[in-house]
Amino acid sequence: MTGGSAPGAPRNGHPESGEPVAVIGAGCRVPGAAATGFDAGFFGISRAEAATLDPWHGLLLEATWSALENAGIPPRTLRGGRTGVFLAGASAAADLLTGQFDLRGPRVGVDPARAAKAVHRAAWSLRHAECDLAVACGVLPGRGCGVLVLKRLARVWEGGDRVLAVLEGDGDGALETVLALREGRIPRGYTGPGAAVSRPRPAHLGGREHVFALSAHTEQALRRRARDLARWLGTPAGRQVDAAELAGALAVRREHLDLRATVLAAGRGRLLSGLRAIATGATAPEVSRGRREGTGGVVFVCSGNGSQWPGMGRRLLAAEPAFRTEVEALEPVFLGSAGFSLRRQLRYPREQTDPAVSRQALFGMQLALAGLWRAHGVRPVAVLGEADGEVTAAVLAGALEVVDGLSLLDSGAGPERIGRPRISCYSSLPGEPQPVRFTAALGTAMARGHRVFVEISPHPIAISAVRAVAAEEGVPGVSALPSLSRNAGKREEFLAGIAALHAAGHPTALRHRYPEAHVLDLPEPPWPPTAGAAAGPPDADPAGDGTTFELGWDPVPSSEPPPGPSRTWLLLPDDSSTALKQSFMTAAGLALRGDRGYALPQDDADELGTVLEELSADRSSPLAGVVLFAGSVTEYRLPELAQHLLLTVTGVVRRLAELSVPAPRLWLVTMRGMAVLDGEVGEPGLAFLRGLVRVLAFEHPRLHATLVDLDGLTGTAALPTELRAGHADDEVAWRDGVRYAARLRRVHLATRPRVPVVGEGAYVITGGLGRLGPLVARWLAERGASRIVLCGRGGPDAEARAVLSGLRAAGAEIELVRGDIAAPGVAESVVGAATTGGIALRGVVHAAGVLEDRTLIEVDGADLARVWRPKVLGGWRLHKATERFDLDWWLAFSSTTALFGAPGRAADAAANAWLDALVTFRRANGLTAATVNWGAWDTGQDVPAGPLAEPMPPAQCLAAMSAVLAGDRAATAVACVDLPGTLRTFAGLARRPLFDPLAREGATGALSPYLPSA
């Protein structure tokens, strides 16, 4: 915002009667029956008390919390303050609200039928200085309870608040209007009088590490918060957020509840990995967990000689101003008393050979570290030391001067007695009234209720003693945290300590790290679904709410567009003769229509960036599109060649993203790559581009990436018409002059399979030693499989071993083959193990896969190889090893990322689209095959779900798999998706015709489940 007086600014600090009032937060909850949709435990309300509450009262509490969180105001910061409650409802509800949040401003009730009156009265109260903040609540017909948070506009700038709307009159309709704005029914780009406008900026989730904090009151709620945030990062708002802004908003603009988790990350991939670990209860090096236990404060533990190392202060001096300030303050004392520069010693990259200098430098390092902690609001309630660390502890406790501490460390000479400490200090220095041993001091501190111990040293050497004493004394909930580590590498270890300390319950460490925090539209708390709601929210319990889809092709005609101003098309053929011919034919067709085709052969690909800038600057014939020709149908059949094509597309997208002007549309042109009509074979090495198009719709929506598949060189004649028409479709095929477009549609699976899909014989599962393999093995064994061969690179974990042991005990023959299914000979070994003794091989499950989070422009050859090796190359080798067998079924475990897309899943989406096309290829060649594009299985561990899908119970997944196999379906997507909510969140997807049939079906409410029962 610009400087100067805000509109309606008060004179002499007093508000004017007509002063504008800002809406800074909004929340809404839909109606429910009884307390089934109310999280009573969140508010500390017992079940018995909740049962006596009016259902609307519970939703009012939740809507108010959501509105305050939407405003970036931690609700507990309002306790005892001048916040008014203005309620269109019964006075009992107002009493409940003010009591729960301890609000001390005016409490006003109005006619329940006049919600606008509550807003009007709140604005009046603010203008007349009766309160500093106002909460206006009302009932919305058919949509439950709505809450607005209001503040005088002149005071908005003081708190860095965000303005959703400005009330300059009586406020009629404000509740409905602002909630409509928040729900996306009024465009976000709307700017009314006084509305704050934020300009979108490029996403920056890289660079320095940051702490991303989450909290909840239950483990289930914490997992859902992590899952919701991961999904939000894939939305348009999430893709544009700056890392520091997101970390600051989570640290300062949210309430920190008792159950906590943090993610320490510098990049989007690491952040998403940490969020998934939290969402599934898994461990990860970037994640810290803890619970606020009423710790009794922080104890500083000053360890002795041995924790120092060369250059131990170098990174902190460069990165932490507070640490540098502490060192500068100590510098004169060290120069005058110790005879050396502390700053230089902390930066010194070589081992110090003088023991006295080394001990004193460690002393200075510890003092500066303690000062750095204090700058983050971490002030110890007690200190204790070990050996030389006792000197540091005495100084930190105020019982010893720094200069005396240096003397003690230099010669042992010092004061006869130390002074009286200002805080508890356990020491055996000369003159200490009650000298104690280090371990005894730890035990005493724990006995006095202290549970959080921070080691003040450049490398942890005392933490093990803290943990040992806690274990020996039987003290639960003890946290022992380091300040730094010599083994941290590039990791910001001090920041990791802040993250861990926050997770352990410290109230200020993280808030001090982010003194300025913007308000962001983050996901609201994961309230339980309310009974009677018209449509379940995206985070509803997925059990029993699965949905099945398939991709089909519809004839969608196109006519020749009328002539218009000349435009330029940059044509990029690969190095095949087919692609060169296609580019020449396309250029000629465009020229006949008054446009220009500029071809850039692969030999000149290094000039792509320069050519793009030059063509973009030509206003006489604007650059309308970039067209990449992928060559002949057999050019990329081998997986390694297909990888080369993917990296070529990646390079083009990267160049387009770097343009200083709006990028043109991107077209990917293939020839007979897609199986569109019955009997067509398709080509996996080209069809995988479908997955890239889906991901680009999320990551680079302005490119409007489109895949066009032609039926040969003669079909190229249709391409100029397709390009110039500029239809919204993003997957198109031309066959014999007829234009087809891809569409997703719902399908039904049989409730009960009519024929058994498993019987006596052998079955193979690749990826068999992961989370899904043992579940599928049990499903097979329960249905009569004679032998089950599981292949995997590692060994089974304890849970998998227990499952497999149980199956063996029940009589199933279980064989394990250790190996990489993509390695030469492994697939043949697996088949050999299955068929030993003449047992017939009846079924194959290819479930091998690796997940890697990278946006398309970040993907390099190594990333791609890690993902494609098990899924694509492994699938190809398994296909070759089994193609001579007469199988009942050959099942590929694919992902919905290949159909829906997902941000950060470029390699995964492309690999799964390749695997889907391999299934089509097999079926066209007379071999059995099926693919299931899974959303996610809820296995209790890391669930590789995209932002659109919720995990599904394994029993329901297996029931769907059985139905797919029994119905001999070629390709089926199985995912728990709230499509109306998804299309609201990702508004751009709703404009893609691919989703048209689903959007029309979902427009009237929730999508009903079509999955068979488990």
Side-chain angles (χ1 to χ4, degrees):
M1 302 298 296
T2 58
S5 298
R11 296 193 181 107
N12 302 321
H14 300 292
E16 297 179 350
S17 59
E19 180 184 353
V21 169
V23 180
I24 63 172
C28 180
R29 286 290 279 151
V30 293
T36 55
F38 168 49
D39 192 348
F42 182 91
F43 295 95
I45 297 174
S46 68
R47 290 186 179 182
E49 185 181 357
T52 67
L53 284 180
D54 184 312
W56 187 78
H57 292 177
L59 299 185
L60 174 63
L61 289 175
E62 292 175 343
T64 302
W65 188 286
S66 291
L68 291 170
E69 197 168 270
N70 179 249
I73 301 174
R76 290 175 182 169
T77 63
L78 301 179
R79 291 187 177 278
R82 286 171 22 99
T83 299
V85 174
F86 305 86
L87 179 71
S91 60
D95 293 342
L96 175 68
L97 199 61
T98 55
Q100 182 69 40
F101 292 96
D102 191 18
L103 308 179
R104 305 293 178 88
R107 183 171 68 238
V108 178
V110 301
D111 185 344
R114 300 187 61 190
K117 185 67 174 177
V119 179
H120 174 71
R121 183 63 180 81
W124 187 93
S125 184
L126 285 166
R127 288 169 179 145
H128 290 78
E130 291 185 344
C131 58
D132 298 326
L133 194 74
V135 176
C137 319
V139 178
L140 304 178
R143 291 196 293 121
C145 170
V147 177
L148 300 183
V149 181
L150 309 176
K151 195 174 187 179
R152 284 166 45 204
L153 184 61
R155 296 197 59 195
V156 162
W157 326 125
E158 301 171 10
D161 300 300
R162 176 185 53 176
V163 178
L164 299 180
V166 175
L167 309 181
E168 294 182 335
D170 60 7
D172 285 346
L175 195 60
E176 288 273 2
T177 302
V178 176
L179 290 171
L181 177 69
R182 190 180 171 209
E183 293 168 4
R185 294 184 287 112
I186 295 176
R188 239 335 147 181
Y190 169 78
T191 55
V197 180
S198 59
R199 298 183 180 276
R201 292 171 298 174
H204 181 67
L205 277 179
R208 288 197 63 178
E209 287 183 313
H210 290 279
V211 179
F212 303 90
L214 298 174
S215 70
H217 69 300
T218 67
E219 176 65 23
Q220 181 183 14
L222 183 64
R223 293 187 181 194
R224 289 170 66 188
R225 286 231 95 157
R227 191 164 67 234
D228 288 348
L229 183 58
R231 293 177 63 183
W232 179 83
L233 285 169
T235 67
R239 290 197 304 272
Q240 293 209 356
V241 74
D242 178 84
E245 284 192 0
L246 176 59
L250 293 172
V252 178
R253 296 290 186 170
R254 269 187 170 177
E255 191 71 68
H256 297 297
L257 304 176
D258 291 348
L259 193 62
R260 301 181 178 188
T262 60
V263 181
L264 181 63
R268 185 177 295 267
R270 180 57 65 90
L271 172 56
L272 287 171
S273 176
L275 291 174
R276 288 196 194 96
I278 298 170
T280 58
T283 59
E286 63 269 19
V287 172
S288 296
R289 299 172 185 268
R291 178 182 290 275
R292 182 172 56 192
E293 300 280 5
T295 60
V298 174
V299 177
F300 280 0
V301 179
C302 305
S303 51
N305 194 39
S307 64
Q308 61 266 58
W309 47 281
M312 57 189 171
R314 178 186 295 271
R315 292 193 65 187
L316 290 183
L317 283 167
E320 298 291 345
F323 180 84
R324 189 164 56 249
T325 298
E326 292 289 330
V327 172
E328 295 296 340
L330 291 168
E331 184 74 0
V333 181
F334 274 74
L335 286 171
S337 298
F340 66 85
S341 165
L342 175 62
R343 182 175 58 247
R344 182 178 180 185
Q345 283 299 318
L346 297 184
R347 285 179 173 152
Y348 196 62
R350 290 186 293 276
E351 197 79 41
Q352 176 56 250
T353 57
D354 186 331
V357 172
S358 179
R359 295 169 68 194
Q360 291 172 323
L362 174 59
F363 171 62
M365 178 74 181
Q366 290 177 314
L367 294 178
L369 275 174
L372 179 58
W373 280 113
R374 287 195 302 270
H376 286 81
V378 182
R379 298 183 178 276
V381 295
V383 293
L384 56 88
E386 177 189 28
D388 284 357
E390 293 178 305
V391 176
T392 308
V395 172
L396 295 179
L400 195 66
E401 295 295 329
V402 173
V403 64
D404 294 326
L406 286 171
S407 297
L408 275 173
L409 292 170
D410 182 39
S411 62
E416 290 295 323
R417 295 181 60 86
I418 65 173
R420 185 176 182 83
R422 292 191 297 268
I423 58 176
S424 297
C425 178
Y426 308 96
S427 172
S428 58
L429 285 174
E432 172 63 30
Q434 293 180 324
V436 292
R437 293 183 301 108
F438 178 62
T439 55
L442 288 171
T444 301
M446 293 178 193
R448 293 180 178 176
H450 301 305
R451 294 293 181 270
V452 179
F453 297 81
V454 174
E455 182 171 347
I456 306 299
S457 72
H459 185 75
I461 60 175
I463 281 179
S464 57
V466 177
R467 292 169 178 163
V469 170
E472 184 178 335
E473 300 289 334
V475 180
V478 171
S479 298
L481 310 175
S483 294
L484 287 181
S485 171
R486 66 163 62 97
N487 302 323
K490 293 183 178 180
R491 182 183 173 95
E492 297 187 38
E493 195 67 17
F494 177 73
L495 197 54
I498 291 178
L501 188 59
H502 172 81
H506 196 275
T508 64
L510 202 53
R511 292 182 187 275
H512 279 72
R513 187 70 182 184
Y514 299 97
E516 295 183 2
H518 296 145
V519 182
L520 300 179
D521 254 331
L522 297 172
E524 68 174 13
W527 306 122
T530 57
D539 58 2
D541 183 357
D545 189 25
T547 304
T548 49
F549 308 90
E550 69 177 5
L551 189 74
W553 293 91
D554 293 346
V556 180
S558 175
S559 58
E560 182 73 35
S566 174
R567 294 179 295 173
T568 297
W569 305 82
L570 178 56
L571 311 178
L572 304 176
D574 66 11
D575 53 9
S576 68
S577 60
T578 302
L580 288 170
K581 291 177 183 176
Q582 284 183 300
S583 65
F584 295 152
M585 293 173 65
T586 302
L590 290 169
L592 289 174
R593 294 163 173 85
D595 282 0
R596 179 172 64 134
Y598 185 107
L600 184 70
Q602 278 292 302
D603 291 346
D604 299 325
D606 291 344
E607 301 177 13
L608 176 59
T610 303
V611 171
L612 280 170
E613 291 288 352
E614 290 175 354
L615 295 179
S616 299
D618 186 356
R619 297 178 180 238
S620 63
S621 182
L623 181 60
V626 175
V627 187
L628 177 64
F629 295 89
S632 68
V633 70
T634 58
E635 189 77 18
Y636 301 102
R637 176 158 294 173
L638 296 178
E640 54 267 29
L641 297 178
Q643 290 184 55
H644 175 73
L645 176 59
L646 191 154
L647 292 174
T648 299
V649 176
T650 298
V652 173
V653 172
R654 189 178 293 117
R655 291 295 188 186
L656 289 172
E658 292 170 352
L659 279 177
S660 58
V661 297
R665 187 169 180 177
L666 175 64
W667 303 78
L668 307 177
V669 179
T670 58
M671 193 167 64
R672 292 192 294 271
M674 313 302 295
V676 178
L677 304 178
D678 290 344
E680 290 189 350
V681 177
E683 177 54 54
L686 297 174
F688 79 85
L689 291 172
R690 161 186 289 158
L692 291 191
V693 167
R694 297 288 174 264
V695 171
L696 285 170
F698 286 88
E699 294 182 357
H700 299 277
R702 293 186 178 180
L703 290 182
H704 200 146
T706 302
L707 176 61
V708 181
D709 191 63
L710 306 173
D711 54 356
L713 281 176
T714 56
T716 305
L719 187 57
T721 299
E722 182 69 39
L723 296 177
R724 296 182 68 251
H727 294 297
D729 300 293
D730 57 13
E731 189 170 348
V732 176
W734 285 82
R735 295 294 185 268
D736 295 324
V738 179
R739 182 178 183 271
Y740 295 86
R743 297 288 186 267
L744 276 171
R745 56 176 66 95
R746 294 285 301 273
V747 294
H748 298 259
L749 297 181
T751 302
R752 297 289 179 189
R754 289 173 294 178
V755 295
V757 295
V758 180
E760 292 185 0
Y763 295 83
V764 164
I765 307 171
T766 68
L769 303 181
R771 303 301 305 175
L772 304 187
L775 298 175
V776 176
R778 181 163 54 194
W779 177 83
L780 289 167
E782 290 172 348
R783 284 154 181 78
S786 306
R787 178 182 295 163
I788 303 169
V789 179
L790 299 97
C791 175
R793 289 177 298 173
D797 61 15
E799 184 177 342
R801 285 195 299 272
V803 172
L804 299 179
S805 296
L807 297 181
R808 288 190 178 103
E813 183 181 347
I814 306 295
E815 298 289 339
L816 304 183
V817 175
R818 303 279 182 86
D820 180 358
I821 191 64
V826 173
E828 289 76 9
S829 297
V830 170
V831 171
T835 56
T836 297
I839 294 181
L841 178 60
R842 298 192 59 180
V844 172
V845 177
H846 180 44
V850 170
L851 189 65
E852 180 100 13
D853 279 306
R854 288 283 191 280
T855 62
L856 182 60
I857 61 175
E858 293 175 331
V859 169
D860 59 21
D863 300 325
L864 187 57
R866 278 191 295 273
V867 176
W868 274 48
R869 183 172 176 82
K871 182 78 69 175
V872 175
L873 185 55
W876 179 254
R877 293 197 186 279
L878 192 61
H879 155 66
K880 300 300 290 184
T882 58
E883 62 182 344
R884 63 184 177 86
F885 289 88
D886 183 18
L887 304 174
D888 291 341
W889 44 263
W890 194 100
L891 180 62
F893 272 31
S894 183
S895 168
T896 53
T897 57
L899 297 182
F900 294 152
R905 299 285 183 83
D908 179 65
N912 284 293
W914 190 100
L915 191 60
D916 294 340
L918 176 62
V919 166
T920 303
F921 181 87
R922 282 180 59 92
R923 291 177 72 96
N925 283 283
L927 301 173
T928 182
T931 182
V932 176
N933 300 93
W934 296 111
W937 293 47
D938 190 357
T939 62
Q941 294 293 324
D942 195 8
V943 179
L948 312 184
E950 291 287 343
M952 293 172 56
Q956 197 172 11
C957 295
L958 292 168
M961 185 177 76
S962 181
V964 166
L965 295 175
D968 192 29
R969 293 188 51 80
T972 311
V974 178
C976 178
V977 177
D978 169 32
L979 199 69
T982 295
L983 295 180
R984 286 195 301 269
T985 302
F986 299 95
L989 295 183
R991 294 189 290 270
R992 297 292 173 102
L994 175 76
F995 293 91
D996 275 354
L998 302 180
R1000 286 194 298 271
E1001 181 179 356
T1004 58
L1007 298 177
S1008 56
Y1010 285 161
L1011 279 182
S1013 62

